[in-house]
Amino acid sequence: MTGAHDIGRPTLAAITRSPRGGGIAAVARLVGQVLADEAGTVRTVTLAVGERDFRSSTARRVCFGLDVAAEQALGRCDWICYTHLRLAAVQRAVPRILARPYAIFLHDVEAWTPLSDPMRRVMAGAFLRLANSRHTADRVAAANPSAGPIVACPLALPATTGATPPAVTIAIDIGPRPIVIVGRMTATDAYKGHDQLIDAWPRVLAQVPDATLICVGEGDDVERLQAKAAGVGAGHAVRFTGFVDDATRAAIYDRAVALAMPSRREGFGLVYVEAMAAGLPCVGSIHDAAREVIVDGETGFLVDQADTDAIVARLVAQ
């Protein structure tokens, strides 16, 4: 690379860029757009082949590795940008004489704890290590000090054309005072705060009877959360939308009074930025990178995820 706008020919290696891929896919799209803006074009290799195929088979992982190796061996790129640490493991199988330089974008819990020796070497071998927040960079460095310097690169929203978005009819009744949480609902993502919000909701309703909790997203934990909402007596006031497209999500933001995601392990939390761009205050937690996105008392509030009283107080105040 010889200049600020001469970055050679990059290949983007991502898990998915699907609209159903949540934050992982959103970051892949953002990084891809930056690379395309700088390089003029960018080749892309993805692990997932379908909109929902995020838990890929062994065969698909092998194919992904072969695709990434081919990009390098056939001279199709000057360097590889991996949007997730575990994807970069394929570099171990590429013969050194054929391998191109590579960069890694670090997100959150993937490297917040000590890595295996092979994965530490993979991370140390990158010519550039980016993290989505200072919080992530510090945690990764503390857990893996031999991995090399890590540059914090906070996320942002893509530029818009300024055109007025079309009116969207929301298929679900979100009520007059909706508070929204946006995120995958899987057993492995149970740290995002859905449980804590549902636990708090009966007390919210006692003070704001027309409040509705809108859970945007999908995953294998939805049925459990629905049962929990019914079990605490708030099933009528907790709605699950399933997957929604960008326009519908924007319409929900437009009608909501706040976004609440008192998560415990967000490496950044792009949905906070989305919500604030729509003029919504955000309720995040003191435990993670939400502190770098939400200005407590100005653009929203930071709470202890375990403090139900604080959660209720902040939600009722919206």
Side-chain angles (χ1 to χ4, degrees), residues 105-137:
F105 201 102
L106 301 162
H107 293 275
D108 43 49
V109 295
E110 60 183 357
W112 282 6
T113 55
L115 297 168
S116 65
D117 286 340
M119 287 309 300
R120 261 199 309 273
R121 288 194 292 271
V122 166
M123 189 154 67
F127 75 87
L128 177 64
R129 289 160 293 276
L130 299 171
N132 57 2
S133 65
R134 184 73 261 159
H135 179 81
T136 293

Side-chain angles (χ1 to χ4, degrees), residues 80-104:
I80 304 281
C81 180
Y82 290 101
T83 64
H84 212 274
L85 173 60
R86 69 181 177 90
L87 296 178
V90 303
Q91 284 295 130
R92 298 170 56 203
V94 180
R96 183 172 299 182
I97 194 172
L98 301 175
R100 302 288 179 168
Y102 63 95
I104 301 174

Side-chain angles (χ1 to χ4, degrees), residues 231-250:
V232 300
H236 66 289
V238 180
R239 316 281 168 78
F240 295 82
T241 69
F243 169 77
V244 301
D245 59 25
D246 291 348
T248 303
R249 188 171 66 255

Side-chain angles (χ1 to χ4, degrees), residues 270-297:
L270 193 58
V271 294
Y272 301 131
V273 182
E274 288 181 348
M276 285 190 283
L280 293 182
C282 297
V283 178
S285 89
I286 61 175
H287 308 290
D288 55 25
R291 294 172 295 175
E292 297 180 39
V293 186
I294 301 168
V295 180
D296 192 29

